Amino acid sequence: MEYITKKDLIDCSTPDEFCFSLCCMECKTVWKSTPIRFSKAGKKPENENRKIIYDTLYDREKNLAFQKALNQAKEIFNICPICKRLVCDHCFLICDDLDMCVQCATKLNEKGTVVG
């Protein structure tokens, strides 16, 4: 089974907030992760040493926010085993033998139930 990877998520973060997005390759709906505020948002480091600390802290918090976003995305998106496209639950069908995106199901004359 294929999974959503780091390359699939688009970084929409700002200096004050971490957020990531994904676009359904079928319906083109854009999903955004729950924004997470940087712990030092709005604070200016007093000196270069504090800037190094803030930058390191930002990277650490961004990595944690990314992992949370990835886990959120896995609950909403699927990779079609036939065409390999990343589609949202509204565009993914539970079928008798093999779950797949609505486009592949239509091409293969398969019936199924929409996940979302």
Side-chain angles (χ1 to χ4, degrees):
M1 175 138 204
E2 300 201 32
Y3 296 99
I4 299 169
T5 63
K6 188 173 186 172
K7 68 176 177 49
D8 296 317
L9 287 177
I10 298 165
D11 187 357
C12 304
S13 300
T14 67
D16 292 334
E17 189 175 80
F18 309 110
C19 188
F20 301 87
S21 70
L22 258 177
C23 181
C24 174
M25 295 177 160
E26 177 67 21
C27 69
K28 307 301 182 213
T29 298
V30 175
W31 166 85
K32 284 195 170 187
S33 66
T34 303
I36 297 175
R37 191 147 173 85
F38 174 45
S39 64
K40 301 296 182 187
K43 296 181 181 178
K44 286 224 174 220
E46 310 85 58
N47 55 47
E48 192 57 36
N49 291 342
R50 293 304 296 172
K51 182 179 178 342
I52 292 168
I53 292 169
Y54 280 25
D55 288 348
T56 303
L57 188 58
Y58 182 89
D59 290 341
R60 179 183 294 165
E61 289 181 25
K62 186 175 184 178
N63 285 333
L64 289 171
F66 174 82
Q67 287 304 317
K68 286 182 181 180
L70 191 58
N71 289 334
Q72 283 180 344
K74 287 177 181 178
E75 297 293 320
I76 301 166
F77 284 85
N78 304 278
I79 296 176
C80 178
I82 297 174
C83 68
K84 309 296 186 214
R85 293 181 314 145
L86 190 59
V87 297
C88 70
D89 280 351
H90 299 289
C91 298
F92 197 74
L93 300 177
I94 303 297
C95 301
D96 287 337
D97 295 316
L98 183 66
D99 303 338
M100 63 189 77
C101 74
V102 294
Q103 187 178 76
C104 287
T106 301
K107 284 180 188 174
L108 299 172
N109 200 27
E110 286 290 313
K111 304 281 186 257
T113 306
V114 175
V115 174

